[in-house]
Amino acid sequence: MPEHRILVERRADWKPHFPDLPVMAIDDYLRGPAVDDPANLRVINLCRSQRYLSAGYYGSLLAEARGHRVIPSVRTLQDLSRKSIYSLDTEELDERVARVLGRSRQGTQPERLELTVLFGQCAEPALQEIAGQLFALFPAPMFRVEFRLQGRWQIQALRPFALNALEPEQEPAFFAALERYLSKPWRRRREARSARYELAILHNLDEALAPSTPATLKRFVRAGQEQGMDVELIQARDLPRLAEFDALFIRETTAIDHYTYRFARKAEAEGMVVVDDADSILRCTNKVYLAERLAAHRVPTPKTVILNRETILRAEESIGYPVVLKIPDGSFSRGVFKANDRGELESIARRLLKESDLILAQEFVYTEFDWRIGVLNRQPLYGSQYLMSRKHWQIVNHDAKGGPREGGFRTQALADVPAAVVKTAVKAANLIGDGLYGVDLKQTPRGVMVIEVNDNPNLDAGIEDKVLGEALYTTLMQDFVRRLDAARRHRAAP
């Protein structure tokens, strides 16, 4: 049986009469992986709080980055955070709920029922199949399901709860379910399939730093049509009609707590081909995950430490000044600050730690430009140099008068980009997935360093396409067709 580790918010949450199992406080786990952690370590996250950017959230995030098998995953945490997300997957179950709960019962019919699900097990035999199906969709240790009678019975809400909220009479059932879960082999969630050829491109006309301009989007539309696809530009209001399409290309800045993530999740639930896919959004938009993931696979980066409220001065001790502080889910150089001394370090860090339980401190490495290597389906696509904004240390100066000011660019043929830059970029992107990524790197006397991996890289006429021209757009649209063709073959296979 694979080794396992149970994470709790406080060591006291694991009561003295609980079974003797390998339990670890979340703060100890976040400090760093043990050198002897087995590759197949199974992590059960039972922290009290698993809200976005809490210590419990980071427990699941860093477990994934370290290659551990964790329940609940970050994706499950995000899926269960909003009804608008998890309802995408529960609609089909409502039919069975209506049949099971709609059976005639003696006495007064209630209008609300609640079911507790512990590792996929429940106390109500008639609802066990539903509990198991919900656990397969949302693998979380414990959650409550609320059913409501609204014309017919349906799932009203899913609410995860923590170990400290477990009632004493529920403890035997919880540990029996935990033992049963640990005795089973790990299974990955099934992936949706698609087999059609209509593409939706999600964009936002009002976004100041959109990853593609309106003129660029027209080139995508034309290139897609040349590949035999119907292509339509859609906006946030079009979420209800997303199922009309067969593939989704997100061309606005993504974030977890944003409708772009909901679009990606709904598209996947509908069996569509998606770029950016939901997992890539989850992995790329959090810099703490990226730091751990890159470090675990020995991808070179500037010296990096993860800070919380008690360890702010680790940045001074391990890195020195100046030091760059980053909010985990910033984008386009937002949420990135430079501290030149202890006063600035403490002031900036405490401000950022009001938003997130962990932040990133990184060695300041100045270069005239950053490399951006576009990677598609695990292969390099383009190479650009983004110059620092004038009299600024970043490529975008958000404090410039008159609005954000960007530096210049130089796009080069891939053959002219240093081989080490391309090789490092591809390795970093491949740790995320097989979608479309933009890898930012610095070329220094100490070697090539990865700064971050972007799940929604800029693609604009006259910049990233300076060398490839129309071939850039054609290549991307051909990749959508390739993915759709592969899905069709899979569906047709016996």
Side-chain angles (χ1 to χ4, degrees):
M1 185 173 73
E3 293 189 41
H4 52 270
R5 186 165 299 153
I6 296 171
L7 303 183
V8 293
E9 194 94 3
R10 305 171 187 172
R11 195 62 180 80
D13 287 344
W14 198 260
K15 299 176 184 178
H17 64 277
F18 283 5
D20 185 15
L21 294 172
V23 176
M24 176 180 283
I26 185 63
D27 288 344
D28 294 332
Y29 184 77
L30 294 179
R31 287 195 184 99
V35 294
D36 57 349
D37 278 346
N40 64 344
L41 181 68
R42 185 181 294 186
V43 176
I44 297 93
N45 186 349
L46 300 180
C47 288
R48 295 185 177 194
S49 173
Q50 295 176 349
R51 61 174 175 77
Y52 184 53
L53 301 185
S54 67
Y57 176 92
Y58 280 115
S60 289
L61 185 80
L62 298 192
E64 293 182 22
R66 294 167 184 171
H68 300 164
R69 297 170 173 180
V70 62
I71 177 175
S73 67
V74 174
R75 177 165 177 163
T76 297
L77 292 177
Q78 189 61 29
D79 287 352
L80 289 173
S81 67
R82 297 180 178 217
K83 185 176 181 181
S84 60
I85 297 176
Y86 64 68
S87 62
L88 301 174
D89 289 321
T90 59
E91 291 174 354
E92 294 182 8
L93 271 179
D94 279 337
E95 293 291 335
R96 179 161 184 81
V97 168
R99 289 197 302 271
V100 172
L101 294 181
R103 294 168 184 161
S104 60
R105 300 185 178 189
Q106 294 182 351
T108 305
Q109 278 273 39
E111 294 187 355
R112 176 185 176 277
L113 291 172
E114 187 172 88
L115 181 72
T116 297
V117 179
L118 305 172
F119 291 96
Q121 305 299 308
C122 72
E124 182 70 44
L127 294 172
Q128 179 54 53
E129 185 176 349
I130 292 172
Q133 290 176 340
L134 283 169
F135 182 69
L137 288 170
F138 311 107
M142 53 188 89
F143 55 85
R144 295 188 176 97
V145 190
E146 181 184 341
F147 303 100
R148 284 288 181 98
L149 181 60
Q150 297 173 319
R152 67 171 190 169
W153 285 99
Q154 57 187 289
I155 297 171
Q156 178 67 20
L158 299 176
R159 299 187 181 92
F161 66 100
L163 182 65
N164 66 308
L166 197 67
E167 299 293 339
E169 60 270 19
Q170 293 176 315
E171 290 174 359
F174 171 78
F175 289 111
L178 172 60
E179 182 179 2
R180 179 172 177 168
Y181 169 76
L182 291 176
S183 67
K184 291 182 177 180
W186 181 270
R187 291 183 175 86
R188 297 189 181 275
R189 295 177 63 172
R190 60 179 177 83
E191 296 182 359
R193 300 290 176 176
S194 178
R196 300 180 60 193
Y197 294 84
E198 297 177 4
L199 173 67
I201 301 180
L202 179 63
H203 73 301
N204 181 358
L205 292 171
D206 298 322
E207 186 176 3
L209 293 173
S212 290
T213 64
T216 307
L217 295 174
K218 291 180 180 178
R219 299 192 181 201
F220 281 121
V221 172
R222 185 168 63 246
Q225 291 170 341
E226 290 173 353
Q227 298 303 312
M229 292 189 292
D230 289 330
V231 184
E232 182 179 339
L233 300 178
I234 65 171
Q235 299 181 56
R237 63 174 180 264
D238 294 309
L239 180 62
R241 53 184 290 260
L242 187 61
E244 298 173 13
F245 302 93
D246 314 299
L248 173 65
F249 189 22
I250 300 178
R251 283 284 83 202
E252 61 177 289
T253 304
T254 54
I256 298 301
D257 190 19
H258 191 250
Y259 63 81
T260 48
Y261 180 81
R262 296 196 290 278
F263 265 81
R265 282 289 292 113
K266 181 173 176 62
E268 290 177 348
E270 295 291 346
M272 298 166 60
V273 167
V274 188
V275 177
D276 312 327
D277 63 276
D279 285 342
S280 291
I281 295 174
L282 282 168
R283 293 165 181 169
C284 288
T285 52
N286 193 291
K287 295 178 177 64
V288 172
Y289 175 91
L290 282 172
E292 287 279 323
R293 186 74 169 155
L294 296 173
H297 291 268
R298 302 183 184 278
V299 176
T301 65
K303 191 169 185 179
T304 303
V305 295
I306 297 170
L307 308 178
N308 60 26
R309 290 173 182 82
E310 285 72 44
T311 60
I312 291 174
L313 293 183
R314 279 189 64 199
E316 179 181 87
E317 298 163 1
S318 301
I319 298 175
Y321 298 105
V323 61
V324 177
L325 301 176
K326 298 181 178 182
I327 194 76
D329 58 353
S331 60
F332 287 113
S333 302
R334 298 186 188 96
V336 180
F337 304 90
K338 185 171 65 170
N340 294 298
D341 53 42
R342 179 178 291 189
E344 290 184 358
L345 168 65
E346 293 182 326
S347 174
I348 295 169
R350 295 194 187 283
R351 186 173 75 247
L352 297 182
L353 285 164
K354 291 179 181 179
E355 301 179 44
S356 171
D357 284 356
L358 299 180
I359 61 173
L360 217 64
Q362 198 165 66
E363 172 190 8
F364 176 66
V365 180
Y366 180 80
T367 52
E368 178 190 351
F369 60 84
D370 285 354
W371 279 106
R372 164 68 64 82
I373 305 299
V375 180
L376 175 67
N377 188 34
R378 304 189 182 279
Q379 298 297 321
L381 180 62
Y382 64 86
S384 294
Q385 295 176 349
Y386 295 161
L387 280 66
M388 300 299 127
S389 179
R390 186 172 177 269
K391 296 182 178 180
H392 191 63
W393 58 281
Q394 296 171 287
I395 62 175
V396 180
N397 183 356
H398 291 278
D399 298 324
K401 292 182 179 180
R405 184 174 63 209
E406 300 180 60
F409 73 93
R410 294 187 291 257
T411 298
Q412 299 184 13
L414 283 172
D416 297 329
V417 178
V421 171
V422 176
K423 181 179 180 180
T424 304
V426 171
K427 181 178 180 180
N430 289 352
L431 293 174
I432 304 300
D434 66 352
L436 171 67
Y437 310 104
V439 185
D440 293 343
L441 312 95
K442 287 184 178 291
Q443 191 176 9
T444 78
R446 290 157 47 195
V448 175
M449 301 178 181
V450 173
I451 304 302
E452 62 184 18
V453 182
N454 303 277
D455 65 289
N456 198 293
N458 283 53
L459 292 171
D460 267 324
I463 302 180
E464 287 80 15
D465 71 352
K466 193 71 174 178
V467 172
L468 292 175
E470 294 299 323
L472 176 69
Y473 311 103
T474 299
T475 301
L476 276 156
M477 294 300 104
Q478 287 175 338
D479 192 67
F480 271 102
V481 173
R482 177 191 65 80
R483 293 169 190 264
L484 288 163
D485 284 344
R488 169 174 285 181
R489 289 192 297 271
H490 178 88
R491 186 176 181 180

